[in-house]
Amino acid sequence: MIAALDEGAEAVRLANHAARDGLVEVVGLYGALGSVVTLVDRLPQVVLFAQRCAMANGTAGLVDDTGRDPGERLVEFIAWLGEGHAGLLGAGRALGRGHAALSHLGHRPVSA
């Protein structure tokens, strides 16, 4: 799983670098934005997986390098993942609506 996520992160980094220079017509963004929507829609599943892992094993064998109770830190971790999950769901909805709006744009036919 880690290797797949690292590969995906690298692909997004390369896409960000490619997007730095120049502009394309907005109509041409439909496919790229569709890929972004798909990516964002799949991220909440990974966050939920991390939450399940954290809750399944509890604090057995864990220490906190600041001396804090590992249980408190684990609860904090799970809570922040919940915030991230909710944010990703909202981002996915907003991007999906943007993608749907873009689907209605095109070029006027050229008159003969």
Side-chain angles (χ1 to χ4, degrees), residues 2 6 11-12 18 22 28 33 36 44 48-49 53-54 58 60-61 69 77 83 100 108:
I2 293 171
D6 285 344
V12 171
L33 186 56
V36 170
L48 289 178
F49 172 75
C53 291
D69 175 11
F77 170 69
E83 290 279 329
R108 287 192 180 115

Side-chain angles (χ1 to χ4, degrees), residues 12-24 29:
V12 171
R13 185 188 72 79
L14 291 173
N16 283 337
H17 282 292
R20 283 189 315 204
D21 302 321
L23 297 172
V24 298
L29 293 174

